[in-house]
Amino acid sequence: MSTLVSVAELPAHVGESVTLRGWLYNKRSGKNVHFLEVRDGSGTTQVVVGASDVSAEAFAECDGLTQETSLSITGTVHAHPKRPGVVEVHGTGVTVIGRPSGEFPISPKEHGTDFLMDHRHLWLRSKRQHAILRVRHTIIKAVRDFFDGRGFTLVDAPIFTPNACEGTSTLFETDYHGDPAFLTQSGQLYMEAAAAAVGKAYCFGPTFRAEKSKTRRHLAEFWMVEPEVAFLDLAGDMELAEDMLVFIVERVLAERRAELAVLERDVSKLESVKKPFPRITYEEAIGVLAKAGNPAKYGDDIGGDEETLISSAYDRPVMVHRYPREIKAFYMKGDPDDPRAALCVDVLAPEGYGEIIGGGQREDDLEILTRKIQEHRLPLEAFQWYFDLRRYGSFPHAGFGMGIERCVAWICKLPHVRETIPFPRMLNRLSP
RNA sequence: UCCAGCGUAGCUCAGUCGGUAGAGCAGGCGGCUGUUAACCGCCGGGUCCCUGGUUCGAGUCCAGGCGCUGGAGCCA
């Protein structure tokens, strides 16, 4: 009798007869032997089928197998004769479950970006994409475990929102029973309400930006984790972000070494992600840029090139805090010690990945908040519920948002965020 | 929205000075080897993105359009 096992479980069954089910990834054939490379989602293994081990019909059928045929394979688990620590299966029976109706579009050779994106549903089966999916999963699980382990409560934010919280130009508008509704850009305002209910809240869900951005760092639909904590100040907020990133990186290093190896990720770069992260003020960052010959001056926003310049000076994420108030959102609290600055922070990932986290302390004074919303020319009536949070026991609070895809791109060292999400939505792509 | 580059076989690409279409891979057939993106031989495979223009002649030059890629702005 053979046991039904996954590829990942094979090393525990050396010497036993097992049955595997999976898909043919590649095949190398000789006159008297076939080498079938089979993947089942848990891993990939080589199945050796010798002419004398199976019936003549079964051996002949192996000869005609094409890529992505789904198979049931029975055989004995052996150590690989040439590769120490690797096992293989000596097949005694091969049964076709599903035969491809045509040539599988994605061969193990090179393909262009557009072609691969058109076949994203099939591209996911490749080793590299499989590795990314698993790292993404581990990062998300680590985020959840991190907050859950610190007394946070997951509070889901709505996807449909009635108003624009940071201007309408970057929002997707939908028809909500005759009224306009927008797909959420951020759950933050709702998390502020949640923080007053549970103290420490976080949400994790999809967010939408209609920006006409076509860069390696932008998606129209991306997943964001947003913690919000009552009675937390900017310094505490930065520590929270720092602890979270260290936790995530440690978890990935502990559980996803094999996937990082598939991605050819230099793990020593991740191993240096330890506390403390450098903290520099925006003003200091401008000074660093000036020294490097960059023309940026106080009041300018820090663009992609500038972020790379700053972050390349460090071997771990760098936190840039206290940006000028004018270039930040209305809900940022002003720095009582610097009339020009806001109590906010951006966390820049190393190796040129730039901003992965944005956050800060929120304005908790009703009068100031009202004035700033007017200055930003936003409709006051839409924010009445938000003002209630200041009317009924206002409290200092802070939080941040981290884009999961940018985090995955950095940890996997991917050239583009489109590979970090199973089915990316971008400026010119809505399918598959 | 703006700037730059690209569009040739199923896929990845080459195609010189404007002269009538080429390779590798994939597919088919055969061979061979405990093979590792296996290898060797043979075969089939083209709306050269579209429209118009220049020319005896356009994959090649020009104009417009479409698509893709990267970047800027904006952001996570």
Side-chain angles (χ1 to χ4, degrees):
Chain A
M1 266 314 284
S2 64
T3 323
L4 189 62
V5 297
S6 67
V7 168
E9 295 165 333
L10 287 177
H13 295 270
V14 174
E16 298 173 28
S17 177
V18 298
T19 296
L20 286 175
R21 290 183 297 203
W23 296 263
L24 185 65
Y25 193 69
N26 202 355
K27 174 172 68 87
R28 293 171 290 275
S29 288
K31 192 178 185 179
N32 297 309
V33 64
H34 294 295
F35 299 98
L36 309 178
E37 210 177 321
V38 176
R39 56 166 198 88
D40 74 343
S42 76
T44 306
T45 193
Q46 173 167 276
V47 177
V48 185
V49 183
S52 56
D53 300 330
V54 294
S55 69
E57 297 76 39
F59 189 77
E61 183 169 65
C62 284
D63 201 33
L65 294 177
T66 57
Q67 193 186 349
E68 292 305 314
T69 302
S70 56
L71 302 164
S72 175
I73 287 161
T74 299
T76 317
V77 185
H78 289 260
H80 194 291
K82 291 182 185 172
R83 297 186 171 180
V86 176
V87 297
E88 61 179 17
V89 175
H90 291 191
T92 53
V94 176
T95 310
V96 171
I97 296 171
R99 203 179 293 280
S101 60
E103 185 187 324
F104 191 68
I106 301 177
S107 69
K109 298 283 182 180
E110 289 170 47
H111 297 285
T113 301
D114 194 40
F115 177 82
L116 288 171
M117 291 306 306
D118 280 342
H119 297 85
R120 181 64 175 167
H121 52 297
L122 303 177
W123 186 22
L124 291 176
R125 302 182 187 191
S126 71
K127 278 182 182 159
R128 187 180 160 80
Q129 299 308 311
H130 176 262
I132 295 168
L133 288 175
R134 304 253 277 201
V135 174
R136 177 189 171 97
H137 166 252
T138 296
I139 289 172
I140 291 170
K141 182 71 163 57
V143 165
R144 299 280 311 264
D145 287 348
F146 173 79
F147 288 116
D148 294 351
R150 286 183 169 227
F152 279 71
T153 300
L154 178 72
V155 180
D156 300 312
I159 305 289
F160 284 121
T161 60
N163 57 274
C165 57
E166 298 179 49
T168 52
S169 63
T170 63
L171 288 163
F172 286 104
E173 189 174 335
T174 64
D175 176 8
Y176 197 81
H177 304 301
D179 287 326
F182 304 97
L183 299 185
T184 183
Q185 280 186 311
S186 161
Q188 184 204 312
L189 304 190
Y190 297 98
M191 286 309 100
E192 292 186 48
V198 298
K200 296 192 265 186
Y202 76 103
C203 63
F204 176 63
T207 51
F208 307 87
R209 305 276 167 97
E211 295 154 4
K212 302 249 190 274
S213 299
K214 256 175 70 176
T215 79
R216 67 183 69 228
R217 298 182 3 261
H218 288 87
L219 293 168
E221 178 182 307
F222 66 96
W223 287 67
M224 188 153 65
V225 57
E226 294 176 278
E228 193 72 33
V229 183
F231 308 110
L232 190 71
D233 62 7
L234 179 64
D237 197 37
M238 290 198 278
E239 204 176 340
L240 185 68
E242 180 184 48
D243 286 342
M244 181 191 71
L245 287 174
V246 168
F247 187 91
I248 292 169
V249 170
E250 274 177 3
R251 178 71 70 84
V252 172
L253 285 171
E255 297 185 359
R256 295 294 170 213
R257 291 268 172 177
E259 285 78 5
L260 293 174
V262 167
L263 298 168
E264 297 177 315
R265 179 53 159 128
D266 177 0
V267 291
S268 71
K269 293 274 201 296
L270 296 175
E271 282 161 347
S272 60
V273 178
K274 296 207 166 86
K275 287 180 82 167
F277 295 172
R279 290 157 166 78
I280 65 172
T281 64
Y282 165 87
E283 200 166 10
E284 287 164 343
I286 292 293
V288 170
L289 292 173
K291 232 177 241 178
N294 189 288
K297 58 184 190 304
Y298 195 97
D300 294 344
D301 207 351
I302 294 179
D305 291 346
E306 289 79 20
E307 285 181 357
T308 303
L309 200 61
I310 294 164
S311 65
S312 64
Y314 305 96
D315 65 346
R316 60 197 75 189
V318 53
M319 304 204 265
V320 181
H321 57 95
R322 292 180 167 79
Y323 282 68
R325 296 181 188 196
E326 308 85 65
I327 60 174
K328 286 292 172 183
F330 70 86
Y331 48 73
M332 300 283 191
K333 187 173 176 63
D335 182 358
D337 299 327
D338 183 349
R340 300 173 304 170
L343 293 174
C344 64
V345 60
D346 280 358
V347 181
L348 310 182
E351 300 175 81
Y353 280 91
E355 185 180 357
I356 56 169
I357 289 177
Q361 196 172 331
R362 320 307 186 186
E363 183 52 68
D364 47 43
D365 184 284
L366 180 57
E367 224 173 278
I368 296 171
L369 192 61
T370 308
R371 199 176 66 236
K372 286 170 107 174
I373 284 178
Q374 287 169 322
E375 282 168 12
H376 280 78
R377 295 167 187 277
L378 294 169
L380 280 176
E381 57 279 8
F383 291 95
Q384 288 308 315
W385 72 263
Y386 187 62
F387 293 152
D388 275 352
L389 306 177
R390 278 72 185 168
R391 289 188 184 112
Y392 303 107
S394 190
F395 54 109
H397 57 291
F400 62 81
M402 180 177 76
I404 289 292
E405 287 75 17
R406 286 188 180 178
C407 182
V408 175
W410 160 51
I411 289 177
C412 293
K413 200 166 201 280
L414 303 178
H416 199 297
V417 288
R418 65 181 159 226
E419 287 185 55
T420 65
I421 185 165
F423 295 97
R425 296 290 173 256
M426 298 180 290
L427 187 57
N428 292 321
R429 180 162 299 276
L430 186 57
S431 70

